[in-house]
Amino acid sequence: MTQDCFDTLDATHFLSHYWQKKPLLIPNGVAAQALTVSPDALAGLALEEGVDSRIVSSQDGIWQQSRGPFDATHFQVPGPWTLLVQGVDRLIPEVAALRAYVGFLPTWRFDDIMVSFATDGGSVGPHYDRYDVFLVQGKGSRRWKLGPTCDNATPTITHGELSLLADFPVQEEYLLTTGDVLYVPPHVAHWGTAEGESMTYSIGFRAPRIADLVARLADQTLDSVDSELLLTDAVAITPSQSAGEIRPQDFENVRGAVFNTLEALDSENWFGELLSEQGEPVSPILHRTELVAIAPCAKVFWRRDINGCHVFANGAVSPPFETAIIPTLIALCGGEAVAVVQPRADSLLLDFLDEAGALYDPMDID
Ligand code: SIN
Ligand code: CO
C-alpha cells in the first residue's frame, strides 16, 4: 500500500490488474475536505484569458460546445449544461494537492486536473478519451455509465466540435457521491450525468505519442551521427541472382545498421528533454528566498545512470549531478517546498532549476 494513494487502494494491485486495462470504482478514495472548489470559483477561472474552459450543453438531442473565456451571461444556458476548466491544478494549490493521491504513478505521465461543474442533468455526452483518467466526485453526485472499449472504427456522431458515440451499450453503472473515485482507462466508453448540481475533478494522465518519440530519437541521432558514414555489409553477402531485387538479407543488414546506430548514439537524455519542453518558464528568482518550489507550470524530471543524476527542466538538460541531490529532487518533484540554506550541497541544482525558469517562491502571493 502506498501511503498517498486513494484510501482503499493497493497501488501494486491496481497497477497490475486495472491500470490501462479495466475501470475501477474506488469508494471514498478522497477526503471530502480536499474537494472544496466552489462553482463560483470555477466560473471565475472561466472568465480569465489564458484559461482553457468550455461549456457543453444539450437540449432536445442537440449537443453544443462553446469555448471560453466566458462572461456571466454565458452561464444562462437553456437546458442542462457543464462547465469544464482544464489545468486547475496550475491555478489552485488545493487542487494541485490532489496529485499526491496518484503519486504512485510516474510523474512524467501526469497531464492535468480538469474540474467540471454541471447543472442537474448536465453531461458532456457519451464518448471515449485516449487518456487515463481518475474521475473524482466533488460536491454533489454524478451517475457514470461505462461501455465497451472503442477505437477509430467505433461509430460516432459529430455535434460541432464534439464527437459523441452513436451507440452506448451500458456495461457498468455507478452513482458517485463526494469522495468516490472512478478510474477509466483509455478508449473505454463513459458517460457521466449530474444528479443535482455536481462537481467532478478529472485527474488526467497522458502518454507520449509514439510518433513524437520516434521523431525525437531520430533528430537526436542525426545531430551526432557522422554524415559521411556509409552502410557496410556487416555479414558476408551472397551473390545476387535476380537483377533489381532488394533481398531480405539486404534489408536485414540495413535495418541492423539503422537500429545499431540509434542505440550506439542514444544519450538517453532526449526523452526527458522532450517531456520537460512542455513546461512554461517563470522569471528567475533573483534574490533567493527562504523557500523554493517547482513552479506550477514548469516541467521537471530526472533520471540516473552511472555518471550521476541528469535533470530536465523546461527543455534544458543539466550536466550530471551527484546522486546526493536526489532527495531534494524527489521533494521538489513531489510538490514540496525546499528550504534554502547556504551553503548547501544541492545549490548547483537550485541554480540550474532557477536558470531554466522552473523555480518560484511559494510564499510570494500576488
Ligand atoms: C465531466 O467532468 O463531466 C467529463 C469528464 C470526462 O468525461 O472525461
Ligand atoms: Co471523458
Side-chain angles (χ1 to χ4, degrees):
M1 177 83 83
T2 309
Q3 209 180 6
D4 294 323
C5 68
F6 302 110
D7 235 13
T8 50
L9 189 71
D10 177 328
T12 307
H13 184 78
F14 171 78
L15 289 173
S16 53
H17 291 83
Y18 296 96
W19 176 247
Q20 302 230 305
K21 293 186 183 70
K22 55 184 179 187
L24 177 68
L25 175 71
I26 309 159
N28 294 313
V30 172
Q33 306 87 279
L35 302 165
T36 58
V37 174
S38 68
D40 280 352
L42 193 70
L45 293 179
L47 307 182
E48 286 178 28
E49 207 56 66
V51 173
D52 181 0
S53 60
R54 58 201 169 102
I55 291 175
V56 177
S57 61
S58 62
Q59 202 180 27
D60 304 327
I62 308 289
W63 294 85
Q64 279 186 324
Q65 173 169 277
S66 51
R67 293 202 168 265
F70 297 107
D71 61 47
T73 58
H74 290 109
F75 301 123
Q76 316 298 321
V77 185
W81 55 273
T82 307
L83 166 68
L84 306 106
V85 181
Q86 295 290 150
V88 181
D89 54 296
R90 297 192 283 271
L91 304 167
I92 303 182
E94 180 197 320
V95 175
L98 292 174
R99 292 185 59 176
Y101 284 94
V102 285
F104 63 93
L105 289 161
T107 313
W108 58 266
R109 290 290 285 271
F110 172 76
D111 185 20
D112 78 340
I113 300 180
M114 176 181 81
V115 181
S116 72
F117 164 76
T119 61
D120 185 30
S123 172
V124 301
H127 68 282
Y128 70 94
D129 300 308
R130 290 186 300 144
Y131 313 114
D132 299 88
V133 67
F134 293 89
L135 299 162
V136 181
Q137 182 61 38
K139 295 194 176 87
S141 32
R142 204 169 294 203
R143 184 170 296 279
W144 287 95
K145 293 178 178 162
L146 300 179
T149 301
C150 305
D151 59 25
N152 289 342
T154 306
T156 54
I157 300 173
T158 303
H159 299 254
E161 275 184 56
L162 293 171
S163 176
L164 301 181
L165 294 170
D167 308 304
F168 199 97
V170 179
Q171 297 183 340
E172 293 167 66
E173 187 168 328
Y174 303 102
L175 179 66
L176 266 60
T177 56
T178 307
D180 293 341
V181 181
L182 181 62
Y183 164 69
V184 183
H187 296 276
V188 170
H190 53 285
W191 185 359
T193 306
E195 299 206 348
E197 292 192 345
S198 163
M199 308 272 301
T200 296
Y201 299 62
S202 299
I203 309 179
F205 284 81
R206 183 182 290 253
R209 281 161 20 115
I210 297 289
D212 292 339
L213 300 179
V214 171
R216 179 54 70 104
L217 177 58
D219 284 350
Q220 186 232 244
T221 309
L222 288 174
D223 283 346
S224 41
V225 73
D226 174 356
S227 61
E228 299 300 317
L229 203 63
L230 302 184
L231 177 72
T232 54
D233 297 320
V235 284
I237 56 169
T238 55
S240 173
Q241 313 230 308
S242 329
E245 183 185 6
I246 299 169
R247 300 163 302 172
Q249 60 172 277
D250 298 327
F251 187 66
E252 270 316 298
N253 189 36
V254 168
R255 183 200 292 274
V258 170
F259 286 126
N260 289 342
T261 306
L262 288 174
E263 208 168 340
L265 298 179
D266 185 359
S267 74
E268 294 186 25
N269 277 345
W270 60 272
F271 181 53
E273 198 179 324
L274 172 71
L275 291 173
S276 74
E277 268 172 11
Q278 297 143 9
E280 289 171 33
V282 293
S283 311
I285 305 171
L286 296 175
H287 305 289
R288 196 58 62 70
T289 44
E290 283 178 13
L291 276 179
V292 291
I294 290 181
C297 295
K299 294 253 188 237
V300 177
F301 307 106
W302 57 277
R303 71 176 188 89
R304 56 186 129 191
D305 66 11
I306 47 164
N307 298 315
C309 179
H310 307 258
V311 184
F312 311 96
N314 293 341
V317 186
S318 75
F321 287 111
E322 288 176 15
T323 50
I325 62 151
I326 288 178
T328 308
L329 265 176
I330 293 175
L332 286 167
C333 292
E336 285 177 36
V338 167
V340 177
V341 186
Q342 297 287 357
R344 53 181 298 145
D346 43 18
S347 61
L348 284 178
L349 167 68
L350 296 181
D351 288 346
F352 167 74
L353 293 174
D354 202 7
E355 272 163 35
L359 287 186
Y360 85 130
D361 173 0
M363 308 306 277
D364 184 11
I365 299 158
D366 44 50

